Each structure stands twice: as C-alpha cells, then as structure tokens.
Amino acid sequence: APVLLWLRQDLRLHDQPALIAAAEQGPVIPLYVLDDEGPGEWRIGGAQRWWLHHSLFRLAQDLEAKGSRLILRRGPVAATIAAVLAETGATQVHALRHFEPWWRAAEASLGDALHLHDGNHLIRPDTLTTGSGGAYRIFASFWKALEPKLPPGDPVPAPDHLPAPKHWPASDSLASWGFLPSKPDWATGFGWQVGEDAALAKAHAFRAKVAAYEEQRNLPAEEGTSQLSPHLHFGEISPRTLWDAIRNAPDALKFHTELAWRDFTASLTTALPRYAEEEGRASMKTFPWRSGPHAASDLRAWQRGRTGYPIVDAGMRQLWKTGWMHNRVRMITASFLVKHLLIDWREGERWFWDTLIDADYGNNAVNWQWIAGTGIDANMFTRIMAPLTQSEKFGAGSYIRRWVPELAELPDAVIHDPDEHGRRPANYPPKMIGHREARERALAANRAHR
Ligand code: FAD
C-alpha cells in the first residue's frame, strides 16, 4: 500500500526524515493540505500566500524530477487526510513534527496512522524543560540547557528517486488556489528567490558573513543578517542543514544563539498554546489599551508608515514593500505601537502576521509579548525604547532614505528627526506625538493600571 507524506512547513527534500521513513515503507504520496479553518485567525496570511505559491511550485518540480508528484488538497486538514487515506488505501502518514496549536490538534485526531519525525528544530523543543518539567521562561536559561546538546547532528541527503504509487489521487491545481497575482506584489521588494535551492544557496553565501554578524546584525542599513527567515519558516532549509552550511565559519556563536530563538519560541508556545492571544503576565491582561476612532486612525498611520518618526515609517514601509523587516526595526516599530501609541500589542501582531513573509506563530507572539512587556519573561512595560535615539545609534540614515523617499534629500544630521531641525518636507507628516509626551503618557497609564 502507498504511504502518505504530509508536508506542512517543511517544503523540502533534503534533511527530510519523514520522507526517508515513508519511502522505506512503500510508494510515497506527497500531500500538502491548505486548511483555512483549523488555524482560525492564524490561517496563512496575505504575504505568505504569495511565498507559499512559489514554494509549492518549486517543490512540485523537484518531486517530479525524482519520479514523484505533489498532491494538493484544500479543506480541514485531518478530515482531508482521512479522505486521501480512504481513496488510496494507504494506512500510514509520515510527517515532521510542528508545534503550532492547530497542527497539534490535527495530529491528535489522526491517531495511530500518524508517524511523527523530528527535523524542524535544533532539538525537539518540547523536550528541553526546566528541572521541574516546565518550559523555560527566559531565553538565556533555555540556551544554557541547549548549548551542551549541540551541534544538532548531520543532515540526511535527499533520496535520488522516490517510489511512486500505481495510481495517483486527484490534486487541485495550484493556480486554482488563487494566491497569484497578489497585491501588493511581494516579489518586487527584494527580488526574493523562493524554494529549497534558493535557501541552500543563501545559506552557503551567508557563510562568508557569519563572522561579522554580531557587529552588523543591528544595523538596518546593512545586509548583515541572513534573511533566511521565510525559508526557515516554510522549512525549505532545516536548521541542521543551515548549521552544517556554516560549520567551519569563524565566530558563529552569536548566529547560533539567534537560530536557537526559534526553538525557544516553539517550546514556549507549546507550553502556552494561547500565547498569541493572551498575555503571559497576568497583571497585564487588563491593561487599558487605547480604543475608539483616534486609536484606529493612529493604528492606520502606523501600518502605512505615516507616524512622522522616520525610523518607524521606514520599517513599516519596508514591511509593506518586501514582506520583511529588519529585526532591530521590528523592535522599534513594535515598541512604538504599544508604548508611544498605547495600542494593544495584538493589533501589531496581527498586522505582522498578514504582511510578513516569515510570519511565524511562536516567533511573532513571543517577540511581540517581549516588546510589549506582557510576556512571562522579565521584560517590563516601563522599559520604553526611544526611536530617535535608536535611529541615530544604529546609523539608520541610508535605511530611511531608501524606504521614505520624501526624506531622501536629508543628510544624516537631520534625517532621524526632521521636525526637530525644522527640515520636515511638506509631504511628510509631523510626529504623531512627541517622544517625551508619549513616554509620560505610557508611564502614567501603567501607574494608573497598577
Ligand atoms: P537572522 O538574524 O539571520 O537570524 C537567523 C534566524 O534565526 C532567523 O531567520 C529566525 O528564524 C531566527 N531568529 C532570529 N532572531 C529571532 C528572534 N528574535 N526570535 C525568533 N527567531 C529568531 N521572526 C520570524 O521568523 N517570524 C515572525 O513572525 C517574527 N515576528 C517578529 C515580531 C517582532 C515584534 C520582533 C521584534 C521580531 C520578530 N521576529 C520574527 C524575529 C526576527 O525579527 C526575525 O526572525 C529576523 O529579523 C529574520 O531575519 P533574518 O532571517 O535575517 O535573521
């Protein structure tokens, strides 16, 4: 009987232990199911649909080159898989383990037919626990426990050929899912290259940059980070393969620790599956976020990059144009929304979910809660980032000139705060609220709340 290979955020053929295990059992039917119901409001967002289209297209080509196919179906995932099992006479489903709550719910309803394998993290994140068996709350302790278990082992090569079934089940056409054309067209921003080959090439090219990573990673104007996040999210490259690609690069420690953040956020959201919706810190659950028409129009100004804070606007426009934003600027823009505008962190989290090409349940939720000071870690709401100081400190001048064309003529000395220098062009908005005023408002709201 044929065996199902259930593909999710692991759209690759190399270092794919579920594929190897399936092929040992019999002819393999690779299956991708688009489920817009199970994940509820965490169904795949707008930008990611664009990525997913290209990723599935490439994967189907790669499978065909190995004598196989990619079967596409749409519907509630567990019921759809059950239907394909019935149609094909298959009794086994092989898949890599994922930790998003909707995947775990679907896994539970597949029962004994499902065989899960590890391969999307450096370590199976839910197995790394504190002495008392709970998830780590703080990354530093998580890393301390993880580091002795590394490196993560050798990646498994892709098979040369995949055994095919006598009869293939029906498949949707990718075009019928209507992911393209997408608006905006996320291809124009960075010229993203999607798929496994592109991910591998990028990982190998990044090898030369690893040594400078620690120094460069906070500078938005430099391409100092790997930009592998969408490839990692969709599993076009495994963390093990990435580790292997930079194996002998000098000074890789900082990069290794950042890579381990993915494992940390998966471990946290496995322990706290509602972390994308609910504050980890009980006292923050009733925080009086602003609401009403003024808050709504402030939110829109933030989304559109019209806050009057050049670094914030550059970040939000980079996001809209490319589906990606530099990490330092994600921190600045997120903090601005939550603390300067006093808008509920979930609004920002949802906007990122829909516009980020690398939107990831654990990474998004844990980072938003960390910035907002609502999380189970030690970061406090009262730590307020100063966007203008950050912009200067991390030398964001040319980054701003690139993403905010109204300011393209301004020199470094004034670009971070054109208002302050009387150099604001007429077509660029004034600051929505002054930094000091915003800071005082946030601290007062926090005091009143406590
Ligand atoms: P690199 O610096 O090259 O890092 C390599 C990889 O390590 C990344 O691709 C990513 O998989 C992982 N990583 C690095 N930093 C983090 C981190 N802080 N948390 C978790 N994983 C990390 N990352 C996402 O992948 N998806 C998200 O939805 C997401 N939302 C975020 C929201 C906010 C408010 C903030 C502050 C950060 C968010 N991040 C998210 C984390 C981080 O900004 C991105 O992973 C990073 O910018 C991706 O760029 P890169 O691949 O060049 O990273």
Side-chain angles (χ1 to χ4, degrees), residues 210-279:
V210 175
Y213 176 77
E214 182 159 15
E215 196 194 307
Q216 301 262 306
R217 61 185 285 270
N218 275 310
L219 308 178
E222 305 296 328
E223 286 200 0
T225 68
S226 71
Q227 291 178 359
L228 278 162
S229 49
H231 301 283
L232 283 162
H233 171 80
F234 283 101
E236 295 173 352
I237 186 167
S238 73
R240 209 153 53 173
T241 303
L242 175 53
W243 193 285
D244 192 56
I246 59 167
R247 196 177 45 234
N248 300 317
D251 301 327
L253 180 64
K254 186 65 192 167
F255 185 71
H256 287 158
T257 61
E258 289 305 306
L259 193 56
W261 266 90
R262 287 177 74 246
D263 289 44
F264 173 61
T265 71
S267 121
L268 211 63
T269 49
T270 304
L272 301 169
R274 291 185 45 77
Y275 206 64
E277 284 116 35
E278 260 175 37
E279 285 82 359

Side-chain angles (χ1 to χ4, degrees), residues 36 156 231 267 269 274 296 304 314 363 369 399 436:
D36 280 332
V156 225
H231 301 283
S267 121
T269 49
R274 291 185 45 77
R304 291 177 183 169
N363 289 356
Q369 290 230 41
Y399 177 77
R436 196 166 305 153

Side-chain angles (χ1 to χ4, degrees), residues 48 206 213 217 224-230 232-233 242 255 257-263 265 324-335 352-353 356 358-371:
Q48 287 200 318
F206 183 64
Y213 176 77
R217 61 185 285 270
T225 68
S226 71
Q227 291 178 359
L228 278 162
S229 49
L232 283 162
H233 171 80
L242 175 53
F255 185 71
T257 61
E258 289 305 306
L259 193 56
W261 266 90
R262 287 177 74 246
D263 289 44
T265 71
W324 188 87
M325 196 199 300
H326 189 277
N327 178 61
R328 171 61 44 184
V329 193
R330 291 188 202 202
M331 290 163 65
I332 298 170
T333 55
S335 172
F352 273 27
W353 184 261
L356 275 175
D358 63 27
D360 183 272
Y361 187 79
N363 289 356
N364 202 32
V366 171
N367 279 286
W368 270 99
Q369 290 230 41
W370 182 78
I371 290 285

Side-chain angles (χ1 to χ4, degrees), residues 14-226:
H14 70 270
D15 200 29
Q16 222 322 350
L19 181 156
I20 304 291
E24 280 167 4
Q25 301 299 316
V28 178
I29 301 178
L31 172 70
Y32 182 88
V33 182
L34 175 67
D35 182 356
D36 280 332
E37 293 166 40
E41 67 171 323
W42 303 109
R43 72 180 64 85
I44 298 170
Q48 287 200 318
R49 286 175 192 255
W50 176 88
W51 189 283
L52 181 62
H53 178 100
H54 292 291
S55 195
L56 291 173
F57 183 83
R58 297 257 164 227
L59 181 66
Q61 281 185 330
D62 293 345
L63 282 165
E64 277 161 33
K66 308 233 177 246
S68 187
R69 287 188 195 177
L70 178 61
I71 302 301
L72 303 175
R73 293 282 176 103
R74 187 170 200 163
V77 71
T80 306
I81 291 177
V84 178
L85 287 172
E87 282 169 38
T88 57
T91 54
Q92 287 186 24
V93 182
H94 288 264
L96 289 189
R97 213 173 245 108
H98 290 277
F99 296 91
E100 286 81 351
W102 58 89
W103 290 136
R104 295 201 299 144
E107 287 166 7
S109 55
L110 285 169
D112 291 345
L114 182 63
H115 301 263
L116 288 170
H117 308 270
D118 295 320
N120 285 318
H121 292 88
L122 294 167
I123 191 171
R124 186 176 151 180
D126 59 336
T127 61
L128 200 63
T129 51
T130 64
S132 54
Y136 286 96
R137 292 165 159 253
I138 294 176
F139 176 74
S141 333
F142 180 86
W143 173 252
K144 212 165 148 196
L146 174 62
E147 199 179 8
K149 301 183 190 294
L150 296 172
D154 295 328
V156 225
D160 293 332
H161 183 80
L162 271 178
K166 282 207 189 72
H167 305 289
W168 285 100
S171 172
D172 290 359
S173 81
L174 185 54
S176 76
W177 285 0
F179 292 164
L180 294 186
S182 80
K183 204 168 168 264
D185 180 357
W186 305 95
T188 51
F190 269 170
W192 290 110
Q193 302 287 317
V194 182
E196 183 168 2
D197 288 349
L200 286 171
K202 214 185 226 183
H204 284 282
F206 183 64
R207 196 176 177 285
K209 291 186 167 185
V210 175
Y213 176 77
E214 182 159 15
E215 196 194 307
Q216 301 262 306
R217 61 185 285 270
N218 275 310
L219 308 178
E222 305 296 328
E223 286 200 0
T225 68
S226 71

Side-chain angles (χ1 to χ4, degrees), residues 354-425:
D354 209 33
T355 51
L356 275 175
I357 258 161
D358 63 27
D360 183 272
Y361 187 79
N363 289 356
N364 202 32
V366 171
N367 279 286
W368 270 99
Q369 290 230 41
W370 182 78
I371 290 285
T374 57
I376 62 165
D377 51 51
N379 206 22
M380 305 296 282
F381 177 84
T382 47
R383 270 212 241 150
I384 297 177
M385 277 179 125
L388 303 169
T389 316
Q390 290 273 319
S391 183
E392 265 179 49
K393 178 172 169 200
F394 295 108
S398 56
Y399 177 77
I400 294 169
R401 281 189 282 275
R402 175 164 182 199
W403 297 110
V404 188
E406 303 97 289
L407 306 179
E409 303 301 320
L410 296 185
D412 274 353
V414 305
I415 197 163
H416 306 287
D417 192 357
D419 251 349
E420 176 72 17
H421 295 89
R423 295 282 299 275
R424 181 171 61 79

